[in-house]
Amino acid sequence: MNSMSELPIRILLAKIGLDGHDRGVKVLARSFRDAGFDVIYTGLWQTAQSSMLAALQEDIDVVGVSLLSAAHLTVMPEVLRWRKELGIEDVPVVLGGIVPEDEHQQLLDMGCAAVFNPGSPVTEIIATMKRLAEQRRRMSAAEAIRGYDDHQDTALAQLLTHIARGQLDGTWTPPAGKARIIGVTGAPGVGKSSFIGRLGKGLCARGHRVAVVAVDPSSPVHGGALLGDRLRMMWGEPEENFFIRSLSSGKVYGGLGPRCAEIVQAFSGYGFDYVLVESVGAGQSDTAIHDIVERTLLLLMPESGDAIQFSKAGIMEIADAFVINKCDLAGADATVGQLKSALEGDRPVFRASTVLNEGIDAVVDWITQ
Amino acid sequence: MATRPVEDNARRSAAAPFVGPQDVAGKNWAGEVPPPGEYPYTRGIHREMYRKRIWTMRQFAGFGSADQTNQRFKYLLEHGQTGLSTAFDLPTLMGRDSDDPLALGEVGRCGVAISSLDDMRRLFDGIALDQVSTSMTINAPAAILLAFYIAVAQERGIGADQLRGTLQNDILKEFHAQNEYVFPPRPSVKLVIDTIEYGAQHMPLWNTVSISGYHIREAGASAVEEMAFTLADGMCYTEESLARGLDVDEFAKRLSFFFDVHNDFFEEIAKFRAARRIWARTMRHKYQAQHERSWWLRCHAQTAGVTLTEQQPLNNVVRVAYQAMAAVLGGTQSLHTNSMDETLALPTEQAVKVALRTQQILAHETNVTQVADPLGGSWFIEKLTDEVEREADAIFREIDALGGVIPAIEQGYFRRRIAETAMRQNNAFDNGEAVVVGVNKFVDDDYVRVPILKIDPAVEKQQVARLAQMKKDRDVKRHGAALAALDRAARDGENLMPHLIAGAQAGATVGEMMNTMANVFGRYDGGPEW
Ligand SMILES: Nc1nc2c(ncn2[C@@H]2O[C@H](COP(=O)(O)OP(=O)(O)OP(=O)(O)O)[C@@H](O)[C@H]2O)c(=O)[nH]1
Ligand SMILES: [Mg+2]
């Protein structure tokens, strides 16, 4: 499959359970990015279920589980059980951790594709990941379309990959959907992903089905990417009607990735009620998001100086509403005041704190009205 | 922000094949390296050092159920140990009860499981709490475990003022490195200050915080980063305590430190020396402490777990011995030596014994205890100490520029910088520049495998069943009222210690009290910060 080389291999790195040792997994994540992979890291304290659900939604080529608590014989059977349950047995799972020699074979027999120890050379791990990714049997475009029409999430996930690779350009269009498409943009680190996570859960709580397209930048040097948005959005209990897809921007400028619009439409056609789009931490002129969404929310934070700085910028003009996030920090009132005085017209200004889960409901009201 | 990795010692000393007087020319010997026991204590906080009193050999232990650990404690006490050191299991460390879904497979595995006052009672059953000194390695829920300890003592008619021991209670390094945090940084620190305040008022013999570099280093930081981040954390607790209205001399002498000792022998020694000097100056001049004891940096040290290798485990005994010697030449107050088999699981008894014997040989056979700071005045050590101090100063300036420790955490500074250094070390290992004997050089497969200790899974079942029974038996009304009072106090910003003690007495569990506080403070998801 030559087309494999067109987009990076997608790797999920999962930390399951309460163990917080993430030195190894972080070193690996960076090495993988530098090897040209797109890497999604789940963050800490995941369950077997949430990790495998992420693997499904993200159409992962190889899952790496990192376990340093020595609980692998309890945790790995759970992981493999969820892999089966969710219908993604085509996705190989490898384990990295402190595994006594006499337990390696037991884990391989159970269904792990490989087992690595803290001393395993990174080059060897990368080579194994490449080999496993290439061996993975994925659905053809036709299979994926059929499954999509039958409402199989696994097929949706694989179809999105075909779309992103351009393999369906001009040959397939999704059925017309009725999703409302909301863009979320703002400076790097302002809390876009955390906010979308709360917003998505808020919408789900009202009975809606929610999809997210989250774009993070690719490394201009290596072509790989660390896709960090998901980690901020989906922590705690996994939500059934909440489907997150992380994309790397590749060489596309303007804050979105390749074929982002088509992916959004595919979600809509699949039957989601809302599609939330997170752009790459936006500069003042990254306004591409405006073209593919119905409404754009611009996130700001207290004392960032953004309010003033942005007031003349293009990105202020495309916003339909503003959210001052991180209102748990000092200076929120001042920022709200500054912003209101800089604004003409009556676009709403919301206050929120994703850490405290405050102010989200008002935004959900506004979006759903 | 781009981080510039600190020059490590290897490169630093690559500059010259030897060091001479010209390298320390112009040094203010009398001001910077006066005799041991004199400000700023570069050469140690005591004049007589180990001649008067050998460092404390404190080996950290704890496993399984409260009853099992209690048996172990009694055994240690019978054999002359006076200090108890408690390791908690991962669920307890994360503020979760043994019956929490995420606790699956972890209960009692790496330490003792304590979910309620009842567990704490059994842990210290038959032990005279007014006579032992107890150290508890716990952070996010530290205030709750302290509340349990105080409540157990009260039941036996022992006042908080009679309790001696140390609570690790250092939440900042959790955000930098170890990841065992629950609430966001600001309320987390607020809770630490609650314990400092409570300790200053009610517990004159208790060390409220053990400010730890160990975990920062194990996560991949360099020696200088470890020391600078740790001291910056100490300054942060100091400033927050001052902001609470406490007098610096009320609490500063109850702050202690905990460092890692790695392989780079001289750099480690220089690290301890520079740390003492910086801390003394800071406490005296920046925070205006008047008492000499407030200027002292007292510390515990542990040999570096990350340097242990699974391959050829007997080699670890040698590594630990060198590291232990560096800690002692650096002037530590107490020391834990790792066991050779700790890479794989909890250590076996045989391995623990060898680790302790390593310290005893050092103390009683090598005669390194004969004079304080025997390396003081060495051109190389003094130059290195100055360099470490200078590089640490540069880090303090970076942290200041970001607005202080908490804003720097929020901006990902520490995690990013540690990840950067870890990556660099990893590359050096991969390309063979950094040699690890038995792993990337002198490899052979013909070595003795040490046996591995396995924990009985029945512990988890029993603990979960006991917890269920306790929840059934407790007074529902009193329990509900205590949690409601805790919730209110958290919203009003009160000192939570009295409410946690009341909660403990009402049968509230660690998980329940953490949840109550999380509803007010929020939960923190940290972040990767590559
Ligand atoms: N204090 C506070 N911190 C927040 C809040 N929301 C998010 N954060 C923190 O802000 C940081 C960035 O959050 P993200 O959600 O990743 O921000 P983002 O805008 O998606 O970032 P990029 O995708 O990298 O541009 C994280 O450390 C969050 O924990 C909030 O309401 N209050
Ligand atoms: Mg984001």
Side-chain angles (χ1 to χ4, degrees):
Chain A
M1 276 222 268
N2 279 337
S3 54
M4 280 299 289
S5 56
E6 217 184 280
L7 280 181
I9 290 171
R10 292 168 69 85
I11 305 282
L12 182 82
L13 286 172
K15 283 230 48 117
I16 299 177
L18 290 172
D19 133 57
H21 296 98
D22 57 358
R23 173 185 182 156
V25 80
K26 283 167 151 181
V27 164
L28 266 189
R30 290 169 64 128
S31 307
F32 285 176
R33 179 205 48 199
D34 294 352
F37 300 163
D38 277 356
V39 185
I40 295 162
Y41 171 44
T42 58
L44 299 170
W45 315 323
Q46 298 301 303
T47 60
Q49 181 188 6
S50 66
S51 307
M52 287 298 106
L53 192 63
L56 183 160
Q57 297 184 346
E58 300 286 0
D59 189 20
I60 289 300
D61 293 312
V62 187
V63 175
V65 176
S66 162
L67 278 179
L68 286 149
S69 68
H72 44 268
L73 291 181
T74 325
V75 171
M76 290 317 285
E78 273 293 283
V79 169
L80 298 170
R81 187 172 74 73
W82 277 105
R83 180 173 73 163
K84 184 165 181 197
E85 183 107 339
L86 294 171
I88 51 168
E89 282 179 291
D90 57 309
V91 182
V93 175
V94 308
L95 169 67
I98 302 173
V99 182
E101 251 172 67
D102 57 339
E103 290 171 3
H104 277 223
Q105 195 55 45
Q106 208 175 333
L107 288 156
L108 295 175
D109 292 344
M110 200 184 279
C112 295
V115 179
F116 299 107
N117 272 345
S120 304
V122 174
T123 43
E124 181 194 315
I125 303 178
I126 289 175
T128 307
M129 299 306 259
K130 274 199 179 129
R131 178 174 53 77
L132 290 170
E134 273 154 24
Q135 286 168 2
R136 177 182 170 216
R137 206 205 78 80
R138 13 177 63 262
M139 293 180 194
S140 69
E143 279 174 293
I145 291 170
R146 231 176 297 128
Y148 173 96
D149 290 339
D150 286 349
H151 275 268
Q152 290 168 12
D153 284 2
T154 46
L156 165 66
Q158 297 212 19
L159 186 68
L160 298 180
T161 307
H162 286 293
I163 295 174
R165 287 192 178 142
Q167 287 160 342
L168 295 176
D169 284 0
T171 62
W172 179 78
T173 38
K178 55 174 185 45
R180 304 186 60 183
I181 299 163
I182 313 289
V184 176
T185 187
V190 69
K192 298 179 292 297
S193 305
S194 315
F195 178 76
I196 288 178
R198 295 291 192 188
L199 192 61
K201 288 198 172 178
L203 288 163
C204 289
R206 297 196 190 178
H208 300 295
R209 304 191 59 204
V210 183
V212 175
V213 179
V215 190
D216 264 322
S218 298
S219 152
V221 187
H222 308 100
L226 295 172
L227 305 177
D229 291 331
R230 180 181 191 98
L231 165 149
R232 301 285 187 191
M233 293 177 189
M234 186 83 98
W235 60 292
E237 297 288 298
E239 191 79 50
E240 209 174 295
N241 291 317
F242 196 13
F243 195 113
I244 298 172
R245 185 56 173 254
S246 310
L247 296 179
S248 53
S249 65
K251 293 198 175 63
V252 177
Y253 297 98
L256 297 177
R259 301 183 183 82
C260 196
E262 290 81 351
I263 288 173
V264 168
Q265 288 311 317
F267 272 130
S268 178
Y270 191 72
F272 284 97
D273 303 312
Y274 287 88
V275 182
L276 310 176
V277 183
E278 174 177 347
S279 70
V280 170
Q284 300 180 355
S285 55
D286 289 344
T287 55
I289 194 168
H290 184 55
D291 302 334
I292 67 165
V293 304
E294 182 184 325
R295 282 174 163 184
T296 304
L297 280 167
L298 177 63
L299 257 60
L300 301 164
M301 60 186 263
E303 282 187 341
S304 56
D306 287 352
I308 300 193
Q309 190 190 330
F310 273 128
S311 65
K312 298 182 193 78
I315 201 147
M316 286 293 278
E317 285 159 25
I318 65 162
D320 298 295
F322 301 85
V323 178
I324 312 294
N325 187 38
K326 307 199 187 184
C327 275
D328 49 299
L329 303 181
D333 291 334
T335 308
V336 172
Q338 275 173 0
L339 178 68
K340 282 194 168 155
S341 64
L343 282 182
E344 289 150 25
D346 55 354
R347 290 179 281 176
V349 177
F350 298 103
R351 309 169 55 127
S353 164
T354 58
V355 168
L356 298 180
N357 199 10
E358 280 171 6
I360 312 296
D361 261 355
V363 186
V364 175
D365 286 343
W366 178 76
I367 285 179
T368 52
Q369 79 192 325
Chain B
M1 196 192 69
T3 51
R4 174 191 40 78
V6 170
E7 240 184 297
D8 53 34
N9 194 33
R11 258 187 298 150
R12 218 175 358 226
S13 28
F18 61 87
V19 178
Q22 70 284 357
D23 292 297
V24 287
K27 190 170 175 54
N28 172 5
W29 292 95
E32 293 189 339
V33 274
E38 288 179 29
Y39 176 88
Y41 313 105
T42 312
R43 306 195 59 192
I45 58 175
H46 301 299
R47 189 179 176 82
E48 299 273 325
M49 211 54 200
Y50 304 128
R51 280 161 71 126
K52 203 156 142 201
R53 193 166 155 243
I54 294 277
W55 63 89
T56 308
M57 302 178 194
R58 188 184 293 140
Q59 303 292 90
F60 172 76
F63 58 95
S65 68
D67 297 318
Q68 281 171 310
T69 307
N70 176 259
Q71 290 305 312
R72 177 87 197 153
F73 280 174
K74 284 181 177 155
Y75 171 88
L76 292 170
L77 291 172
E78 275 159 26
H79 287 76
Q81 189 163 319
T82 52
L84 298 174
S85 173
T86 323
F88 296 94
D89 70 354
L90 200 48
T92 309
L93 291 173
M94 293 301 298
R96 291 173 186 261
D97 293 339
S98 300
D99 58 359
D100 188 289
L102 269 179
L104 180 74
E106 301 285 3
V107 176
R109 183 186 283 280
C110 303
V112 60
I114 301 290
S115 301
S116 69
L117 184 61
D118 185 47
D119 292 334
M120 197 65 133
R121 268 185 211 119
R122 286 183 297 108
L123 180 62
F124 289 102
D125 180 58
I127 294 172
L129 296 185
D130 50 349
Q131 277 159 47
V132 292
S133 125
T134 301
S135 107
M136 293 191 258
T137 301
I138 188 125
N139 298 283
I144 298 176
L145 275 293
L146 178 61
F148 283 175
Y149 194 72
I150 294 171
V152 169
Q154 266 175 16
E155 289 176 351
R156 303 185 192 163
I158 298 166
D161 58 335
Q162 289 169 271
L163 299 177
R164 278 184 306 126
T166 303
L167 196 63
Q168 190 164 78
N169 198 22
D170 171 21
I171 201 66
L172 289 170
K173 60 99 170 49
E174 300 298 337
F175 293 107
H176 308 335
Q178 193 176 233
N179 295 324
E180 288 165 7
Y181 47 77
V182 174
F183 314 126
R186 287 168 203 267
S188 296
V189 170
K190 183 244 174 228
L191 199 53
V192 174
I193 307 305
D194 283 359
T195 60
I196 293 179
E197 184 178 35
Y198 189 88
Q201 290 163 356
H202 304 285
M203 306 182 81
L205 307 178
W206 192 267
N207 295 311
T208 36
V209 191
S210 165
I211 309 159
S212 309
Y214 184 83
H215 320 79
I216 294 172
R217 189 68 177 285
E218 294 283 301
S222 68
V224 176
E225 285 166 339
E226 175 201 355
M227 187 267 275
F229 292 179
T230 310
L231 296 199
D233 290 349
M235 296 175 207
C236 176
Y237 293 128
T238 303
E239 283 165 24
E240 295 290 325
S241 301
L242 293 173
R244 181 70 69 94
L246 297 176
D247 179 86
V248 64
D249 287 304
E250 262 178 347
F251 64 85
K253 31 175 148 351
R254 305 312 315 175
L255 300 177
S256 64
F257 289 83
F258 171 24
F259 292 111
D260 205 351
V261 228
H262 218 275
N263 284 333
D264 193 325
F265 193 76
F266 294 106
E267 183 180 49
E268 290 303 316
I269 297 167
K271 177 182 83 181
F272 285 93
R273 300 174 92 246
R276 276 192 298 269
R277 189 153 80 200
I278 297 171
W279 187 249
R281 286 178 174 159
T282 310
M283 293 316 283
R284 183 172 187 173
H285 296 299
K286 189 165 174 196
Y287 302 122
Q288 306 282 315
Q290 306 295 315
H291 300 176
E292 188 176 17
R293 279 178 159 265
S294 304
W295 307 335
W296 286 357
L297 180 148
R298 292 175 299 133
C299 70
H300 172 66
Q302 180 171 341
T303 59
V306 282
T307 64
L308 302 180
T309 63
E310 181 196 341
Q311 298 86 344
Q312 308 179 22
L314 289 175
N315 296 350
N316 293 331
V317 178
V318 182
R319 292 189 178 98
V320 167
Y322 288 135
Q323 294 165 3
M325 185 178 276
V328 165
L329 294 180
T332 192
Q333 275 60 56
S334 69
L335 179 62
H336 169 109
T337 33
N338 288 327
S339 305
M340 62 178 139
D341 54 0
E342 271 175 54
T343 52
L344 287 176
L346 286 177
T348 51
E349 220 153 274
Q350 184 65 32
V352 172
K353 197 178 278 178
V354 172
L356 179 61
R357 295 285 180 259
T358 305
Q359 293 202 44
Q360 291 162 338
I361 291 168
L362 193 55
H364 303 292
E365 294 187 12
T366 65
N367 214 16
V368 292
T369 52
Q370 187 187 1
V371 294
D373 190 34
L375 293 177
S378 141
W379 298 310
F380 177 51
I381 275 291
E382 297 300 347
K383 174 168 180 271
L384 205 50
T385 305
D386 292 350
E387 278 172 358
V388 167
E389 179 175 3
R390 225 177 5 253
E391 286 173 18
D393 277 339
I395 293 179
F396 298 140
R397 280 195 298 276
E398 283 183 14
I399 295 171
D400 280 346
L402 294 172
V405 170
I406 297 178
I409 290 174
E410 288 166 345
Q411 294 163 63
Y413 167 80
F414 298 98
R415 300 167 77 91
R416 206 158 35 233
R417 190 155 174 160
I418 294 169
E420 204 79 49
T421 309
M423 186 73 193
R424 209 161 37 82
Q425 288 172 1
N426 202 73
N427 291 343
F429 167 80
D430 272 354
N431 65 29
E433 218 175 281
V435 171
V436 182
V437 171
V439 182
N440 67 354
K441 201 164 188 173
F442 314 113
V443 180
D444 73 51
D445 202 38
D446 178 27
Y447 56 84
V448 186
R449 269 93 179 147
V450 289
I452 294 162
L453 185 75
K454 300 200 172 162
I455 293 278
D456 180 3
V459 167
E460 181 158 335
K461 275 212 191 92
Q462 290 161 3
Q463 168 69 8
V464 169
R466 217 173 6 234
L467 185 58
Q469 188 61 43
M470 190 284 292
K471 285 183 181 172
K472 228 189 293 156
D473 294 346
R474 71 190 169 193
D475 177 343
V476 182
K477 258 209 185 126
R478 183 173 175 213
H479 169 256
L483 288 182
L486 176 61
D487 175 272
R488 213 172 318 109
R491 287 179 203 281
D492 294 347
E494 286 175 39
N495 187 321
L496 297 182
M497 278 309 295
H499 299 280
L500 296 173
I501 296 170
Q505 289 162 337
T509 62
V510 171
E512 290 165 345
M513 292 200 269
M514 289 302 276
N515 276 336
T516 303
M517 291 190 280
N519 284 338
V520 180
F521 296 151
R523 283 186 184 269
Y524 193 65
D525 67 340
E529 311 303 354
W530 322 94

